[in-house]
Amino acid sequence: MILLSRCGSAAAVRVGDGGSVEKEEKKQKMNDAISCTSLTVWRKSLLFTCDGFTVIDSTGNLIYRVDNYRGDRTDNIILMDAYGKPLFTLRRKKRRFVDNWLVFEGEAEDGKEMSKKPIYWVRKHVNLLLQRNQHHQDVVVAQVFDTPPPDKGNPIFVIQGSYERRSCQVVDGLSRTEVVAEIKRKAASIRGISFGHDVFLLIVRSALLDPAFAMSLVLLLDQMFT
């Protein structure tokens, strides 16, 4: 018998004839809970007076939120937990012709950038020769660095695919093959109703990536490609 993980991973567990199916199922569920987190992202704030994002977990609980009073596009975004505690502050910093984003832990106030050092730098990847092939899954759209990115720096994570189509993969920058997170369209299961692009899935498949930080990458992609 082959048991598939709840997040739809291609990995499977084969149970021998003499094994206990119940024990293997329990073990597989525990492994999935550790290594695979599935979140539903709604591109809308729960507050009527602002734009933002609402993120719920697989049990339907609110886990992250963004309440933006300045409109869709802004140079400063705060990702909060369900209770309003700031988790990450995302700040745009233009460098030459490409936007770079600084990621701060917690809340970083405007005008006090130097009082707190960023923990990550995210750069939009621009290649005009590949603009017509943006639907290809291996097209790089952004890179994540843990040090200020020089022109030829090595990213720790690479984001590839197409955010406009809600089809992206975050891969480990070292191996360039290990998928640590995915953005996928949410399939409708009732009478073929389509959720469109405002409701989609964020699936974190590796302990290498904190789900909250993975959600911050979604926010940055939304700023870069919307």
Side-chain angles (χ1 to χ4, degrees):
M1 179 183 296
I2 297 178
L3 305 178
L4 296 177
S5 73
R6 65 177 175 84
C7 285
S9 171
V13 177
R14 188 174 298 278
V15 181
D17 295 337
S20 171
V21 176
E22 290 77 14
K23 289 183 178 180
E24 291 294 339
E25 287 180 341
K26 184 177 180 180
K27 181 179 179 181
Q28 183 67 22
K29 288 180 180 180
M30 292 178 63
N31 290 337
D32 288 342
I34 295 174
S35 62
C36 188
T37 301
S38 180
L39 304 174
T40 297
V41 180
W42 184 24
R43 198 172 173 272
K44 186 175 180 63
S45 171
L46 292 178
L47 302 179
F48 294 106
T49 57
C50 60
D51 298 309
F53 283 78
T54 300
V55 186
I56 61 175
D57 62 17
S58 58
T59 61
N61 294 318
L62 176 66
I63 183 169
Y64 306 126
R65 73 181 217 245
V66 175
D67 301 323
N68 181 14
Y69 294 91
R70 301 179 182 178
D72 281 340
R73 296 190 62 81
T74 179
D75 291 339
N76 200 73
I77 304 171
I78 298 177
L79 174 65
M80 301 177 290
D81 66 10
Y83 302 99
K85 177 183 177 181
L87 300 176
F88 292 103
T89 297
L90 317 175
R91 184 166 298 161
R92 188 195 308 268
K93 184 176 183 180
K94 290 188 177 182
R95 183 174 182 268
R96 296 180 182 176
F97 300 104
V98 179
D99 284 352
N100 284 267
W101 286 82
L102 309 181
V103 181
F104 300 86
E105 189 172 13
E107 185 173 8
E109 298 181 16
D110 287 330
K112 297 183 179 180
E113 179 179 310
M114 299 307 296
S115 65
K116 178 180 286 189
K117 293 184 178 180
I119 57 175
Y120 295 106
W121 288 257
V122 183
R123 174 195 286 176
K124 180 179 180 180
H125 184 77
V126 177
N127 190 331
L128 298 178
L129 297 178
L130 296 177
Q131 291 300 312
R132 295 182 179 180
N133 297 319
Q134 284 296 312
H135 62 282
H136 288 263
Q137 193 64 31
D138 58 349
V139 173
V140 175
V141 295
Q143 297 171 311
V144 183
F145 302 84
D146 59 357
T147 57
D151 291 340
K152 296 183 179 179
N154 295 318
I156 57 172
F157 297 114
V158 175
I159 307 174
Q160 55 193 28
S162 172
Y163 178 74
E164 294 95 330
R165 292 177 170 82
R166 304 300 187 261
S167 178
C168 287
Q169 292 183 335
V170 182
V171 300
D172 176 52
L174 182 61
S175 68
R176 293 297 181 101
T177 57
E178 180 184 359
V179 178
V180 297
E182 289 185 89
I183 297 172
K184 303 175 65 176
R185 295 191 66 175
K186 188 174 179 65
S189 58
I190 303 176
R191 299 180 181 178
I193 297 176
S194 174
F195 289 106
H197 288 87
D198 285 342
V199 180
F200 53 95
L201 294 176
L202 171 62
I203 302 174
V204 182
R205 300 188 180 278
S206 172
L208 292 175
L209 193 62
D210 173 30
F213 180 64
M215 184 58 211
S216 72
L217 296 181
V218 172
L219 301 178
L220 295 183
L221 290 173
D222 193 77
Q223 289 292 310
M224 294 174 182
F225 298 101
T226 299

